[in-house]
Amino acid sequence: MHTDADLSSLSVRQLRARRRRLAASLTDPQVNLEGSLVSQMRRCGKEGCRCTQGELHGPYVYLSISRDAARRLVYVPAKLADVVRQHLALTEQIEASLAAISAINLELVARRQLD
Ligand SMILES: [Zn+2]
């Protein structure tokens, strides 16, 4: 990530070039998936099962999605865990690039050079 201090030392031409590179590096937005992976041990609730003695099942992987104050867990089947992990990583890259582009545009606004 680039700080505002970095940006203030660049020319308008350099800012626009950096913005163009960031935009060109953006991944296909179809990968977008928000949340983070958590793994949990679970009790199945069946009477007499070993989990009632504290030997829990799992670990199972869940996608944790926070919206406002609420958190939701969505079960992720084991064979999808890797692809979900990839999507989350790419989503982080997209968000970082968009934040960097926004910072450049903010700098251009401050210089009255936003096009
Ligand atoms: Zn059980």
Side-chain angles (χ1 to χ4, degrees):
M1 279 303 293
H2 305 288
T3 65
D4 292 351
D6 285 331
L7 296 180
S8 63
S9 66
L10 298 178
S11 68
V12 168
R13 177 199 284 267
Q14 287 171 321
L15 288 170
R16 290 189 175 137
R18 180 179 285 193
R19 189 179 61 180
R20 200 161 39 244
R21 278 197 305 277
L22 285 163
S25 74
L26 279 175
T27 312
D28 182 353
Q30 288 184 100
V31 301
N32 202 53
L33 181 63
E34 286 165 33
S36 55
L37 287 181
V38 296
S39 69
Q40 285 191 353
M41 306 296 284
R42 285 282 165 113
R43 257 180 248 281
C44 69
K46 286 194 193 104
E47 207 177 318
C49 181
R50 60 188 169 89
C51 68
T52 60
Q53 309 301 318
E55 232 186 293
L56 302 181
H57 303 281
Y60 298 112
V61 177
Y62 297 85
L63 188 59
S64 169
I65 300 142
S66 299
R67 181 135 303 168
D68 303 319
R71 191 172 81 129
R72 195 158 67 97
L73 291 181
V74 176
Y75 174 66
V76 177
K79 62 175 168 185
L80 280 185
D82 279 342
V83 78
V84 166
R85 208 167 275 122
Q86 281 171 21
H87 279 241
L88 294 174
L90 289 168
T91 300
E92 270 183 40
Q93 278 176 31
I94 291 171
E95 285 170 355
S97 296
L98 289 176
I101 288 170
S102 182
I104 289 170
N105 283 334
L106 205 57
E107 178 69 21
L108 290 170
V109 168
R111 296 188 201 184
R112 296 164 168 70
Q113 293 288 344
L114 186 69
D115 41 353

